[in-house]
Each structure stands twice: as C-alpha cells, then as structure tokens.
Amino acid sequence: MDPSRKRTIRFVVALSAAVLLAGALALTSFSASTEARQPSELVNAEQTPGAKYQLVGKVVKGYETKGDTTHFRVRDRDGTVSVPVTYAGRLPDPFRADREIVIDVVKQGDTYVGQVGTLITKCPSKFTADKSNT
C-alpha cells in the first residue's frame, strides 16, 4: 500500500474518533445538567419521586443547626414562597440569612434534602452601583 494513502487513512480514522468523542462529551455534559428552580417553581410543579433539582433562593431567617445537620428554609429571590431544606454537611462560611444560595436537592416527604457538597453561597457583588446614588 502506498505510504501517502496509509497516512490519509490514519488521519481520517483519527479525525472520526475525535469527532465521536467530542460529541459524546457534549451529550453527556448537557444531559447531566439540571435547570435551577426557585421555591415557587418547585411548589407549583409536578415532581418525579427521587429526582434531583437545583434550588436557587435566599435563606430565610431562623435556621437551626443540630450537630452536622442544618434545617432552614429557602425563599424566592424576590418573593415570599419558601420550602424547607435539610442539609447534612459543612456549611460555607458566608452562609447566613438573606444570603442567596444554590443547592442540589431531592424531595423526601415535605422536605427537600440537600445533597452533601452542593451548597454554594452567592456573595453580593461589590461592583454593583449603590442604589442610593441613582
């Protein structure tokens, strides 16, 4: 077989394999993602038992920690609808009332159970314009 033909065949095979792997990676990435939902969206939606949801909202005042488990409520960013959440794990240092959080949860009964290691606090931006000056 001609050496230039061998190189062409190898190139086509390698390029085809790379395209297939890139497609598989993209498919896996998009199918594994979940849409972030606020508490009102979870309350009003029909839920699949055992399904994981990404919950976004603000921590309501009056949360309680017993041992490693924290019981708190998460409300809509600009609303009053809230859901109870239980999280067993270490809380991030900036976790506090009125702080916006993102957490993966699974509904168990009337409570949403936070998945360990998924609780993220969103810090208020230092770079937003001061509303009193506008």
Side-chain angles (χ1 to χ4, degrees), residues 17-64:
V19 168
L20 285 172
L21 289 173
L25 179 63
L27 180 64
T28 303
S29 296
F30 289 118
S31 66
S33 66
T34 57
E35 182 181 337
R37 298 178 185 203
Q38 292 194 64
S40 61
E41 295 171 321
L42 285 179
V43 168
N44 296 327
E46 191 171 314
Q47 298 172 15
T48 307
K52 183 172 27 171
Y53 300 96
Q54 190 173 58
L55 178 62
V56 176
K58 291 190 174 185
V59 177
V60 176
K61 292 179 183 173
Y63 62 89
E64 181 178 49

Side-chain angles (χ1 to χ4, degrees), residues 117-133:
T118 64
L119 178 60
I120 300 169
T121 57
K122 294 176 121 185
C123 296
S125 177
K126 296 184 233 178
F127 305 106
T128 56
D130 185 7
K131 292 180 183 178
S132 63
N133 293 337

Side-chain angles (χ1 to χ4, degrees), residues 3-16:
S4 65
R5 182 170 163 90
K6 263 186 175 177
R7 281 194 301 269
T8 303
I9 291 172
R10 284 185 193 152
F11 176 73
V12 169
V13 169
L15 187 60
S16 299

